[in-house]
Amino acid sequence: MTAKVAVLDYGSGNLRSALRAVERAGAEVVLTTDQDVALEADGLLVPGVGAFAACMQGLREVDGERLIEKRLIANRPVMGICVGMQILFAQGIEHGVQADGCGEWPGTVEELQAPVVPHMGWNTVEPGAGSRMFEGLEDASFYFVHSYGVREWLLEPPPAFPQPVVTWTSYGPERFVSAVENGPLWATQFHPEKSGDAGAQLLRNWVGTL
Amino acid sequence: MSLAVRVIPCLDVDAGRVVKGVNFVDLVDAGDPVEMAKVYDAEGADELTFLDITASSDDRSTTFEVVGSTAEQVFIPLTVGGGVREVDDVNRLLRAGADKVGINTGAIARPEVIAEITGRFGNQVLVLSVDARRSDEQPSGYEVTTHGGRRSAGLDAVEWVKRAGELGVGEVLLNSMDADGTKQGFDLEMIRAVRSVTRVPLVASGGAGRLEHFAPAVHAGADAVLAASVFHFGELTIGQVKDSLRREGIHVR
């Protein structure tokens, strides 16, 4: 059976590449703001561009927080991309102003301190041990474009819980979380839909879990 | 490892077809943008830039079609510039399938539009495209031009980049109008001057003719190198340019 993926349409930006990339990864894809469609899909993709606070506001307007929560309680896969990953953390700080995120993971999204910002272009990753997301992609490069990131991974679940697989990327003096696999909740700071063949393989790895 | 220096082919698109002229005159048709985008992707291009030079707004819809088909077939970042004046223009291009949008004359005419665009879509979507040339009229020695280099905008190019960075652009595409089409190499002094006043990524453009031209632009401070005709006419391939950068110790994908 072909997996069905819903792409959450809650703001602006290029969603066309995301839709086609997921389709290319072997899934049936639909762009939606409809709660039922988004709940029933085998996978939910949460894209995201722009500012953290603006993104959260857009997400709330489609009741996206509750949607993500409902899916995770039922162990239904969700994948966040770029700011769609950042808003899964507890909070973001932009220009000194703090905004609440979805709080799926503890941690703060902060401005990157590097000589050149945004971090824009192709960079490599250090996949966490046992990563399924990066299977066959250990040396691949992915396309990043962001000015904010998460410097510390704070979630340490008790041993009985699934252990999160955290992937890191370095840029100048910075080292930040570039991907997370935490039970049904996956996320990437980079854009797999813009990362050519490597990104396509990563999306196939995700669709393969649905 | 570290962030790779990007190699970006630029396609000038007029009414849905790729064109590129020497110093922006005598345009020569060089192909179908979607097909060319696929070829460049296969050759290892890190991004693509489309410059929409369509004069009439009636033909603008062909641009959206070309952007859309490209975004659906080529999975690397796509920047589209040309004719961008307001927030709605950006929204339409992003919705069509662009990842970043270039702004040039529109920002010169009304600098506030930079903050309007980045406030809604984030800094990372907006690329300030600057067509600059040497001039004794400006303190830095470089002035901004418009209309394909035919007119002076009466702005100091270095000062303009600095200001646009403060207003929120996420990247600067610096095109040397003196070097453009000459194939004599990038204007390294201008790259250095602009690099010193901005923290955002800098794309160097104009003057690439031979492989040995690319590494010096990176050493002068460019985060990415852009070229058009040398790629379109097959004089150089993306792979050759990357090899030449690698030989100079520069990290590429």
Side-chain angles (χ1 to χ4, degrees), chain B residues 131-163:
Chain B
D131 293 335
R133 69 179 170 207
R134 286 164 185 254
S135 161
D136 297 335
E137 307 285 309
Q138 297 295 341
S140 73
Y142 304 98
E143 70 173 356
V144 180
T145 69
T146 62
H147 299 80
R150 291 193 304 277
R151 288 191 209 165
S152 167
L155 283 173
D156 185 301
V158 173
E159 194 51 42
W160 174 229
V161 168
K162 189 179 172 199
R163 181 157 170 233

Side-chain angles (χ1 to χ4, degrees), chain A residues 15-16 21 24 29 32-33 41 45 57 175 185 188 208:
Chain A
L15 298 172
R16 201 182 273 235
R24 204 165 64 129
V29 65
T32 191
T33 54
L45 191 82
Q57 192 191 330
R175 188 165 182 270
L185 186 57
T188 63

Side-chain angles (χ1 to χ4, degrees), chain B residues 76-95:
Chain B
I76 56 174
L78 174 62
T79 302
V80 184
V84 173
R85 303 199 168 268
E86 50 193 283
V87 171
D88 267 355
D89 299 328
V90 175
N91 191 32
R92 275 198 293 274
L93 285 169
L94 296 178
R95 281 272 157 184

Side-chain angles (χ1 to χ4, degrees), chain A:
Chain A
M1 260 256 310
T2 310
K4 288 192 180 66
V5 170
V7 175
L8 193 62
D9 184 12
Y10 69 103
S12 315
N14 171 19
L15 298 172
R16 201 182 273 235
S17 300
L19 291 168
R20 271 296 289 136
V22 173
E23 216 167 63
R24 204 165 64 129
E28 199 178 297
V29 65
V30 59
L31 183 66
T32 191
T33 54
D34 187 281
Q35 284 274 329
D36 291 337
V37 173
L39 272 177
E40 283 161 20
D42 299 308
L44 176 70
L45 191 82
V46 183
V49 294
F52 185 99
C55 212
M56 270 311 289
Q57 192 191 330
L59 191 69
R60 289 199 181 103
E61 280 163 16
V62 299
D63 208 8
E65 268 183 297
R66 209 155 66 97
L67 170 67
I68 292 169
E69 192 66 37
K70 276 185 180 173
R71 285 190 61 96
L72 294 178
I73 287 168
N75 205 28
R76 307 279 284 158
V78 175
M79 178 151 168
I81 291 178
C82 196
V83 184
M85 169 178 121
Q86 295 179 355
I87 49 100
L88 296 171
F89 286 86
Q91 59 176 350
I93 298 173
E94 286 172 331
H95 311 296
V97 182
Q98 188 229 306
D100 286 338
C102 294
E104 296 299 338
W105 300 318
T108 304
V109 182
E110 297 170 283
E111 193 171 2
L112 298 175
Q113 301 298 327
V116 175
V117 174
H119 172 227
M120 190 183 282
W122 299 77
N123 205 336
T124 49
V125 296
E126 308 156 37
S131 167
R132 296 170 71 190
M133 188 190 286
F134 294 98
E135 245 170 43
L137 293 168
E138 289 73 14
D139 300 316
S141 293
F142 299 91
Y143 190 82
F144 290 81
V145 49
H146 59 122
S147 303
Y148 296 82
V150 176
R151 294 194 184 95
E152 275 186 293
W153 178 259
L154 299 170
L155 179 67
E156 285 178 17
F161 282 66
Q163 297 301 304
V165 177
V166 181
T167 293
W168 297 85
T169 288
S170 299
Y171 175 50
E174 292 279 13
R175 188 165 182 270
F176 52 83
V177 174
S178 52
V180 181
E181 297 153 67
N182 181 207
L185 186 57
W186 285 24
T188 63
Q189 175 61 73
F190 52 84
H191 288 269
E193 80 282 17
K194 297 271 87 166
S195 297
D197 293 340
Q201 180 59 51
L202 186 145
L203 289 170
R204 274 195 296 276
N205 289 350
W206 181 59
V207 169
T209 69
L210 304 179

